Amino acid sequence: MELVLLSAAFLAGFVSLKCHLPPLVGFLLAGFALHGFGFESNETIVTLADLGVTILLFSIGLKLDIKTLLSKEIWAGATLHNLFSTALFCAALFGLKFLGISSLAIMSPEQLLLLSFALSFSSTVFAVKTLQEKGEMNATYGTIAIGILVMQDIFAVIFLTASTGKIPHWYAIILFALPLLRPLFYKILDWVGHGEMLVLFGIFFALVVGAGLFKFVGMKPDLGALILGMLLAGHSKASELSKALFNLKELLLVCFFLNIGLSVQPTMTGLALALLFLLLLPIKGVLYFAVLNAFKFRVRTSLLASLSLFNFSEFGLIVGGLAFKLGWLSSDLLVALALAVSISFIIASPLNRKGHELYRRSGHWLKEHAAESLNNRDKLINPGNAQVLILGMGRIGTGAYDEIVSRYGKVSLGIEVREDTAEEHQQEGRNVIAGDATDPDFWERILDTANVKLVLLAMPHHQGNQIALEQLKQRGFSGQTAAIAAYSDQIESLLEEGVDAAFNVYREAGTGFARDVCDQLNPQLTPK
C-alpha cells in the first residue's frame, strides 16, 4: 500500500507542478482519488502527518519574534477577524437553516455557532507552504499572516481544552520555567555543531522536549513545539536549524495532505454543503482585508496577506472532528468541512500564485492611506543620500560596510532581514534598516534610488542575490552591481544575469587571510 501511496503522491505532485500549481494540490487530489479506489488512511500515515505538522510549527517558532505576536495588529487583528467572521458566518448559516437546508435545519443555534467558529480559521500549513514556495516568508505581509495564524492556533488550543473539559494537570506550572532554561537550550544548540546532529537536535526538541512535555502536562503537543521554537528563535543558529529541518518537514507534510483526502468519504450531501461553505470564503477574505486596512497597512500588504489567509483550515477539521465525536455535529457536516478545506486549497493556490498580478490590476481602485499615516511596519523607505546599498549585513556585508566607511565615509545604507540584527548594527553606529531585499514589497516601498551608484549583493544565499538583482533590473536601476557567490557556476550565472562584478567568497576569504597574516606576522620568507 505504501508504494501505491508514494507513487500516486509523486505523480500527482509532478502533474500539479507542471500545471503551475503547488504540489500540495496534487497531494490532496491524489488522496481523494485513492479513497475512491478503496484506499483508506492508516495509523502510519496519520502519525507521519502529525509529525509533519509538529515540525512545521517548530520551524515557524524558530522564525517568530515574540514581539510580532504582542503587536496590536496581530493579536487584535486576529481576535477581531475571528469574532466578526464567526458572527457573519453564523448569520449566513441561520439564513440557510430557515431556507430548509436539511443538514442545517436540525441544528441548534449553539451547533451553528460552533460550525461558524470552525470555518473562521485559516490554514497554517497551506499559508506557510505557499509563502515558502514564493520565497516571501519574511515579507511584511507574510509575517503578518503568520502572526495571525499563530494567534488562531492559540484560539483553537483554548477551545479544544475547554470543550473536552480537560484542564491541564496541576504540574503544568512547570512550563513557566521553560524561559529560564533558554540559556541551557542555547548551550546545547552550540554543542551539537552542524550536520546530522543539528537535525537530530531539532527533531528531539520539537517532538520530545516541546510536544512531549506539553502532552505530559495535559496540553496540546503542537503548541509545545511552537513555543520551543520561539524560545530558540533568538539563537544565531536558529535559521540554520530551520533550513536543516526543511526537507524532512516537506516530506512529512506530503502525508498530511494525502491524509485529508484519504480520511473522508465524499457524499453528494457533503459536497453540496461544502459548496455552500465555499460561498463564505469571499466574506472571510474581505474581512481580513478590512481588518488589516484598518491598522493602516498599505493596500498591497493587506491584499496579499488576505490572499494568504483565503482558505479554510485543518484546525477547523480538528474542531469539527472533536464536535463529531461529542455528538455535536453530523457526519455529513464533517465530510462537508473536509471537502470545503480541500477545495479551498485548490481555489487559493492559483490566487496566491497570481497575487502580485492581482494587486497590479486592482490596486488603482483600492484607496491607499496617506504615506505619513501608514503603519510603522509598512512605512515607505527613504534611502536619503546613500550612494551604496549593501543587501545582507552578515559578516561579509558588515566587512564591506566598514571598509567603505574607512575609504569614503558614511555613504552606505545596509539592508538586513532580521530586525534584531539591524538594531544591533544601529547601536554600533551603522546606517542599517530592517528589510527583505528578496521581497518585491521591499522595493515597492523604496521612494527613490536616484542617489544610489552601487549595490552590493552580500546575502548568504545565491538565489536571494539573484532575486534581488532581478528586482533591481525590473526597476530600471542604472548603477553598478556586485555580488558574492560560493561556486564558480554561480559566478557565471550572476555575470550572465547582468551583475557588473562577482566574487567567490572562499577565494576572496583565502586572499584576505593570507594578506592579514603577512601584515600582522611579517614572516621572514625567502622569495623564489
Side-chain angles (χ1 to χ4, degrees):
M1 176 180 174
E2 285 74 13
L3 290 177
V4 174
L5 293 177
L6 182 62
S7 301
F10 174 77
L11 290 173
F14 182 79
V15 171
S16 182
L17 200 61
K18 289 301 180 183
C19 293
H20 303 289
L21 291 170
L24 64 88
V25 175
F27 304 148
L28 277 170
L29 294 177
F32 284 124
L34 288 168
H35 196 288
F37 283 104
F39 289 89
E40 293 183 355
S41 186
N42 57 40
E43 189 174 340
T44 301
I45 295 293
V46 173
T47 300
L48 292 176
D50 290 343
L51 291 178
V53 173
T54 301
I55 294 177
L56 170 72
L57 289 172
F58 180 70
S59 300
I60 292 172
L62 289 172
K63 297 181 179 181
L64 194 64
D65 185 349
I66 189 64
K67 290 185 291 186
T68 300
L69 291 184
L70 295 177
S71 61
K72 65 182 181 207
E73 54 264 28
I74 298 301
W75 66 263
T79 303
L80 288 172
H81 183 273
N82 187 262
L83 291 174
F84 286 136
S85 59
T86 300
L88 288 174
F89 291 174
C90 195
L93 292 176
F94 261 111
L96 294 174
K97 171 186 172 78
F98 287 116
L99 287 175
I101 303 297
S102 58
S103 296
L104 300 177
I106 60 174
M107 293 181 67
S108 67
E110 292 80 7
Q111 290 173 317
L112 289 176
L113 184 63
L114 174 62
L115 181 58
S116 302
F117 179 69
L119 291 170
S120 70
F121 292 98
S122 296
S123 172
T124 302
V125 177
F126 177 87
V128 172
K129 284 275 293 175
T130 302
L131 288 168
Q132 285 178 337
E133 286 167 3
K134 294 194 296 182
E136 296 180 356
M137 277 285 289
N138 292 316
T140 303
Y141 85 88
T143 57
I144 292 168
I146 295 301
I148 289 175
L149 288 166
V150 170
M151 288 302 303
Q152 289 185 352
D153 292 349
I154 293 172
F155 297 157
V157 169
I158 294 171
F159 168 79
L160 292 172
T161 302
S163 61
T164 55
K166 294 169 62 177
I167 60 174
H169 302 301
W170 66 266
Y171 43 84
I173 195 172
I174 64 175
L175 297 179
F176 289 104
L178 284 176
L180 302 178
L181 295 175
R182 181 186 287 183
L184 174 61
F185 296 158
Y186 278 21
K187 187 63 67 175
I188 297 173
L189 184 50
D190 287 329
W191 286 338
V192 297
H194 310 278
E196 66 274 12
M197 280 305 298
L198 183 64
V199 176
L200 191 57
F201 169 89
I203 296 172
F204 174 75
F205 263 68
L207 304 182
V208 180
V209 181
L213 178 61
F214 271 62
K215 184 177 182 180
F216 173 71
V217 301
M219 296 185 69
K220 198 167 187 302
D222 292 345
L223 181 63
L226 175 68
I227 289 176
L228 258 293
M230 291 169 65
L231 286 175
L232 296 172
H235 195 282
S236 59
K237 289 171 68 175
S239 177
E240 181 184 353
L241 176 57
S242 177
K243 290 167 189 165
L245 293 171
F246 181 81
N247 288 330
L248 174 64
K249 174 196 68 181
E250 295 290 287
L251 183 61
L252 292 173
L253 285 177
V254 173
C255 296
F256 171 84
F257 291 107
L258 271 176
N259 185 56
I260 291 179
L262 287 167
S263 298
V264 296
Q265 175 64 53
T267 63
M268 291 307 297
T269 302
L271 179 59
L273 281 171
L275 295 176
L276 286 176
F277 293 161
L278 288 169
L279 295 177
L280 301 175
L281 259 185
I283 299 175
K284 173 181 275 195
V286 170
L287 273 175
Y288 275 125
F289 182 86
V291 168
L292 293 174
N293 196 53
F295 285 104
K296 303 296 178 69
F297 286 103
R298 288 181 304 126
V299 165
R300 182 181 184 278
T301 300
S302 299
L303 179 63
L304 293 179
S306 299
L307 289 176
S308 297
L309 301 168
F310 189 76
N311 50 66
F312 294 126
S313 170
E314 64 279 355
F315 267 116
L317 276 178
I318 294 171
V319 171
L322 176 62
F324 173 70
K325 288 179 182 177
L326 296 174
W328 298 346
L329 293 180
S330 67
S331 59
D332 280 343
L333 285 171
L334 183 60
V335 170
L337 272 175
L339 290 172
V341 170
S342 304
I343 298 171
S344 75
F345 288 175
I346 295 171
I347 293 172
S349 291
L351 289 177
N352 276 273
R353 186 168 55 87
K354 294 182 177 293
H356 297 292
E357 182 181 338
L358 289 172
Y359 166 70
R360 285 193 294 270
R361 291 186 177 184
S362 61
H364 64 280
W365 52 266
L366 292 171
K367 185 179 179 182
E368 189 65 89
H369 295 289
E372 61 273 11
S373 67
L374 287 171
N375 189 289
N376 284 331
R377 297 180 62 182
D378 211 22
K379 282 190 178 297
L380 302 180
I381 299 169
N382 185 358
N385 296 320
Q387 299 176 54
V388 181
L389 289 184
I390 302 177
L391 310 182
M393 287 297 291
R395 285 173 292 180
I396 295 175
T398 301
Y401 183 101
D402 293 341
E403 179 66 20
I404 290 174
V405 167
S406 69
R407 288 173 178 262
Y408 303 101
K410 295 186 176 182
V411 298
S412 300
L413 173 63
I415 311 297
E416 169 57 40
V417 68
R418 292 182 65 97
E419 290 187 13
D420 53 348
T421 303
E423 289 175 2
E424 289 174 8
H425 282 298
Q426 292 164 9
Q427 292 168 2
E428 294 171 2
R430 298 186 184 93
N431 182 25
V432 176
I433 61 172
D436 183 4
T438 66
D439 177 21
D441 176 62
F442 169 80
W443 297 101
E444 291 279 349
R445 291 163 58 198
I446 289 186
L447 289 174
D448 184 18
T449 57
N451 293 325
V452 178
K453 301 176 182 177
L454 173 64
V455 175
L456 303 184
L457 305 171
M459 289 178 284
H461 303 293
H462 176 63
Q463 186 180 15
N465 289 325
Q466 285 181 307
I467 293 171
L469 179 62
E470 182 62 29
Q471 295 295 331
L472 286 167
K473 289 163 62 178
Q474 288 179 6
R475 281 154 184 79
F477 178 67
S478 57
Q480 295 177 306
T481 55
I484 61 169
Y487 305 101
S488 58
D489 60 324
Q490 294 178 349
I491 298 282
E492 293 172 6
S493 68
L494 285 167
L495 292 172
E496 290 174 0
E497 290 165 16
V499 77
D500 295 294
F503 301 88
N504 187 304
V505 290
Y506 297 124
R507 186 173 62 214
E508 298 300 322
T511 302
F513 176 51
R515 183 173 58 246
D516 286 348
V517 167
C518 293
D519 290 343
Q520 293 182 38
L521 303 182
N522 192 23
Q524 303 302 308
L525 305 178
T526 303
K528 291 186 178 181

